[in-house]
Amino acid sequence: MAVTILAIESSCDDTSVAVIRDGYVLSNLIANQDIHKSYGGVVPELASRAHQANIVPVTQEAIIRAGIKREDINAVAFTRGPGLLGSLLVGTSFAKGFAITRNIPLVEVNHLQAHVMAHFILEKGKENRIPSFPFLCLLVSGGHTRIVIMKSYSNMEVIGNTIDDAAGEAFDKCGKVMGFPYPAGPLIDKLAMEGNSHAFSFSKPVVKALDFSFSGLKTSFLYFLRDQLKDDRNFIENHKADLCASLQHAIVTILTTKMIKASLETGITEIGIAGGVSANSGLRNGMTVEAEKRNWNLFIPELRYTTDNAAMIGITGYYKYLRGEFSGHEVTPLARY
Ligand code: KG4
Ligand code: ZN
């Protein structure tokens, strides 16, 4: 019998609902919250309120577009954390309510694990390549930068982590300094395409083992701009593309260098990237070049599965459902998971 999962993602500022059947996506809807743009970052209270307004209509639409009936749903998967507590609370409460009324199991999902699991999402009519185990994955999002080894669907080991800011934060904070709206990552990516990545150079971190650091780069970028602006008030405006290309090059170099080291140390050549920053074209190109040089079997997710989405929660929930890993109705969200 087919297994149909309704999946809810509400950890930050996107309300997303998906329907997954036997690992295949039937629908995956995302309601973005534009309200945060003018604040230079996500305002938690506004995010919770927008989730409350969005969650019912987005769920209804996800079920309609999947072409299923409510009675077909076998379980509800939801993001338990990490994320903004108020936002998580909306998704968790809604998932519980749905599971209780339909008398079906509730499956909690770790958002970070789900970003990596996005590599296992199947789509009808497409010939999907999926990684085999052990799978070495760079997880780069707005809040996290990690290298993980996935040994099975249920076993993930973290072998590298950031000691300060995440890669996405480096993009967003440096973008903010240049006056860009939040999140700055996609705009920097776009502008970088027109710029020279060797126009400027910023200090590179020295961090042990497979860990990362981005706060030094952010400070170096800030001081560089401050000095240049003393001589030329229009420096940012006049060098926007080169600044973006050079900054992106610095971040991508830090990330790819550690992935090369991780692959050499573990001997794993089944390699992927995941999370919002894996949408970055510089990172995608950089990893593709390394993969050709080093004979990696590289996995780059479809753009729609890089940033936050419920399909990744659904695929993680699907495998947990098969293992019988359910949560009780007393489950509460976790800001840190
Ligand atoms: O995974 P995600 O959607 O949310 C979190 O779980 O954090 O990641 C969001 C992050 C933001 O920092 C955003 O600027 C970054 O991903 N991002 C990008 C790009 N698209 C999204 N960074 C660089 N280039 C992009 N194209
Ligand atoms: Zn995320």
Side-chain angles (χ1 to χ4, degrees):
M1 208 188 74
V3 174
T4 308
I5 308 281
L6 177 75
I8 316 279
E9 154 63 29
S10 73
S11 65
C12 191
D13 60 340
D14 297 311
T15 317
S16 182
V17 182
V19 176
I20 301 279
R21 176 170 286 170
D22 293 338
Y24 285 87
V25 188
L26 299 187
S27 66
N28 179 41
L29 265 77
I30 302 171
N32 302 114
Q33 303 180 359
D34 282 338
I35 193 156
H36 309 286
K37 279 215 163 77
S38 52
Y39 295 92
V42 176
V43 185
E45 182 53 32
L46 295 180
S48 318
R49 288 185 207 179
H51 282 306
Q52 268 183 326
N54 291 341
I55 199 139
V56 172
V58 176
T59 304
Q60 275 170 337
E61 190 61 27
I63 291 173
I64 291 169
R65 291 215 198 159
I68 61 155
K69 296 191 293 292
R70 259 158 236 271
E71 303 78 72
D72 299 334
I73 299 169
N74 299 98
V76 187
F78 69 99
T79 306
R80 187 180 179 195
L84 300 171
L85 205 52
S87 293
L88 291 166
L89 198 54
V90 177
T92 306
S93 310
F94 180 80
K96 272 191 213 180
F98 197 102
I100 291 169
T101 27
R102 297 233 51 87
N103 198 21
I104 53 177
L106 195 58
V107 182
E108 68 183 71
V109 170
N110 179 317
H111 180 89
L112 299 178
Q113 185 184 5
H115 269 302
V116 179
M117 283 294 295
H119 284 285
F120 298 90
I121 295 171
L122 301 175
E123 288 181 304
K124 281 259 152 66
K126 280 200 180 167
E127 226 187 278
N128 283 84
R129 274 168 75 234
I130 58 168
S132 49
F133 304 123
F135 173 48
L136 185 65
C137 191
L138 172 70
L139 168 58
V140 267
S141 70
H144 298 86
T145 301
R146 289 186 180 170
I147 300 177
V148 302
I149 301 176
M150 217 181 139
K151 296 174 182 168
S152 70
Y153 287 115
S154 58
N155 184 343
M156 220 177 264
E157 184 193 348
V158 180
I159 59 167
N161 211 337
T162 179
I163 58 167
D164 42 54
D165 291 349
E169 260 175 298
F171 274 108
D172 296 337
K173 288 181 178 171
C174 292
K176 196 173 178 178
V177 174
M178 291 188 281
F180 298 170
Y182 174 86
L187 182 59
I188 292 176
D189 189 353
K190 197 166 152 232
L191 291 167
M193 289 173 190
E194 315 284 313
N196 172 6
S197 60
H198 297 286
F200 310 112
S201 67
F202 310 107
S203 78
K204 294 239 166 27
V206 183
V207 194
K208 67 167 181 50
L210 296 171
D211 288 336
F212 299 93
S213 165
F214 288 98
S215 80
L217 172 67
K218 184 186 65 190
T219 313
S220 158
F221 187 75
L222 185 71
Y223 286 176
F224 172 77
L225 282 185
R226 198 187 55 185
D227 290 346
Q228 299 299 320
L229 286 167
K230 278 185 201 152
D231 300 330
D232 174 7
R233 281 177 49 209
N234 298 321
F235 184 80
I236 296 176
E237 198 48 46
N238 293 340
H239 298 89
K240 229 179 220 172
D242 285 349
L243 281 168
C244 290
S246 303
L247 174 67
Q248 179 168 298
H249 177 71
I251 296 173
V252 168
T253 305
I254 294 170
L255 295 172
T256 46
T257 305
K258 288 284 167 146
M259 280 306 278
I260 294 166
K261 187 172 159 73
S263 171
L264 290 173
E265 283 182 10
T266 59
I268 301 171
T269 52
E270 198 79 356
I271 297 202
I273 54 175
V277 179
S278 71
N280 184 265
S281 55
L283 180 61
R284 294 163 92 90
N285 292 338
M287 289 294 286
T288 305
V289 168
E290 292 307 329
E292 275 162 21
K293 262 198 254 173
R294 296 164 197 282
N295 255 332
W296 289 348
N297 192 16
L298 180 68
F299 294 86
I300 295 186
E302 299 258 5
L303 282 177
R304 59 184 171 283
Y305 301 133
T306 56
T307 46
D308 291 348
N309 66 88
M312 69 184 195
I313 305 301
I315 193 76
T316 313
Y318 170 68
Y319 284 103
K320 289 188 87 169
Y321 177 90
L322 294 183
R323 295 196 298 272
E325 291 177 25
F326 306 139
S327 302
H329 293 155
E330 71 291 347
V331 65
T332 49
L334 298 171
R336 290 167 191 277
Y337 199 149

